Amino acid sequence: MSTSATPEPVIRQIVEAMRTLAGPHPGFRPVHAKGLVCSGSFRAPADAPRVTRAPHFTGQSVPTIVRFANANGNPDVHDGVPSVRSMAVKFQLSDGKSADILANSVEGFIARTPEEFLEFLRAQLPDPASGKPDPDAVPRFLAAHPAGRAFVERLMKKPVPASYAQAIYHAEHAFRFTAADGTSRFGRYRFVPQAGEAFLSPDDAGKRSPSFLREELEGRLRTGPVAFQLLLQLAEAGHPTDDVTALWPEDRPVVELGRLEVTGISPTSTADERRLIFDPTNRTDGIDLSADPILLARSAAYAISYDRRSKGE
């Protein structure tokens, strides 16, 4: 399945709800608004084609564009505010095309379907009568959606990374990977930092510079590249591949797909952020989409969001 079954009005309502929650920030994404763009490279091991025949996993060095970001919709948010952090990687292929991986610092997602996600967003919107959100709306949503509540609980255990280079980033969605010999399996990506994980309490993080994550990464890169191992957690028969809220057991096999090195922050990072779209459905031969309804709706949502921000809205 390669196109969204979600009605376009629902996708537009999601984007508009996110824009309302973010507040007026013309030219910025309604979520993941504060970020920075970096350059890097990726190389797969010799046995990666046993997992996928995709061209960026054949063993050559592949240039990459990497964006780290805070999930908040305010581009001026303090880096110490508890929130999901993200890493998006664009593999620049030799034929001029690209392939993207998007991953977050918390495994899973808050909602299983776009309609459910819209319900969660609306629970945070101001009530027209009072002008303030209903304080019971989000708790009601989480009480009715145990998987969403579990996602929030995972976030609260690791609310603020000490460094963009010290968080594990999980791709929410499953993809079908077809190997060089034609065999296929579903899997989920994860980027594991060479430097290990490190997190701060919100109190400690709030005492740091408002942009300490960028400043820390700048200092770290002066001593050399920041490295991540790209792993793939493989699904077993019967494991859900179309439910972004469902985690697979940790004892599932994990295989290595390569090493990503972030080498520097782009000197044109601000302009790059405005023009770039990272889309998890942007992939190549050897990697196919699952039937996950959230995954299938994302491209349309990004197109709407890009159109609005490119107009300075």
Side-chain angles (χ1 to χ4, degrees):
M1 188 174 184
S2 59
T3 57
S4 175
T6 303
E8 184 189 12
V10 172
I11 297 174
R12 288 192 174 276
Q13 289 168 43
I14 288 172
V15 175
E16 290 310 310
M18 291 191 297
R19 287 170 56 84
T20 300
L21 290 169
H25 301 290
F28 286 91
R29 293 167 170 81
V31 290
H32 299 270
K34 183 179 183 179
L36 67 158
V37 176
C38 302
S39 56
S41 64
F42 175 83
R43 187 183 294 273
D47 59 352
R50 295 180 184 176
V51 179
T52 175
R53 64 187 179 222
H56 44 311
F57 295 115
T58 55
Q60 299 98 334
S61 179
V62 179
T64 60
I65 300 170
V66 181
R67 183 177 188 259
F68 296 101
N70 187 312
N72 198 289
N74 178 4
D76 299 315
V77 67
H78 192 290
D79 278 354
V81 173
S83 178
V84 174
R85 301 314 194 274
S86 64
M87 181 169 73
V89 182
K90 188 175 292 291
F91 299 83
Q92 300 177 282
L93 308 179
S94 58
D95 61 1
K97 297 180 181 179
S98 64
D100 298 343
I101 296 177
L102 280 66
N104 291 328
S105 59
V106 181
E107 195 172 8
F109 194 59
I110 193 73
R112 185 185 183 282
T113 66
E115 291 82 3
E116 202 174 278
F117 185 45
L118 179 59
E119 181 185 350
F120 172 69
L121 294 172
R122 285 177 168 169
Q124 303 169 68
L125 291 173
D127 182 273
S130 66
K132 298 179 180 180
D134 177 354
D136 297 323
V138 170
R140 277 198 304 270
F141 175 89
L142 296 178
H145 299 86
R149 184 174 66 249
F151 175 84
V152 173
E153 290 170 352
R154 289 193 296 275
L155 169 60
M156 290 301 98
K157 291 177 181 177
K158 298 179 178 181
V160 187
S163 168
Y164 278 131
Q166 289 191 275
I168 295 176
Y169 296 94
H170 304 265
E172 307 103 309
H173 309 290
F175 295 85
R176 181 186 289 277
F177 295 84
T178 301
D181 64 4
T183 58
S184 294
R185 297 187 75 175
F186 277 96
R188 281 176 173 154
Y189 298 110
R190 66 177 63 163
F191 286 101
V192 177
Q194 179 177 282
E197 287 191 284
F199 292 87
L200 305 172
S201 71
D203 286 345
D204 289 343
K207 297 172 185 176
R208 301 197 177 194
S209 162
S211 294
F212 76 85
L213 287 174
R214 179 186 182 117
E215 293 158 7
E216 195 280 340
L217 187 63
E218 287 176 331
R220 188 180 291 261
L221 287 169
R222 292 190 193 104
T223 66
V226 166
F228 292 86
Q229 186 182 29
L230 177 59
L231 302 178
L232 189 73
Q233 184 188 30
L234 298 173
E236 187 61 82
H239 287 160
T241 59
D242 60 352
D243 183 352
V244 73
T245 68
L247 307 190
W248 300 338
E250 272 303 311
D251 62 0
R252 291 302 308 135
V254 173
V255 297
E256 182 182 357
L257 284 183
R259 177 183 172 90
L260 173 71
E261 290 192 347
V262 181
T263 53
I265 296 175
S266 169
T268 56
S269 177
T270 301
D272 295 340
E273 289 208 87
R274 300 292 180 94
R275 68 176 178 81
L276 287 169
I277 296 177
F278 294 89
D279 181 345
T281 69
N282 179 34
R283 82 285 181 208
T284 67
D285 175 62
I287 303 171
D288 293 300
L289 305 182
S290 67
D292 179 346
I294 291 283
L295 172 62
L296 300 177
R298 288 179 73 165
S299 234
Y302 291 159
I304 294 167
S305 176
Y306 181 80
D307 180 64
R308 296 294 296 271
R309 80 171 187 264
S310 65
K311 294 175 179 176
E313 297 179 357

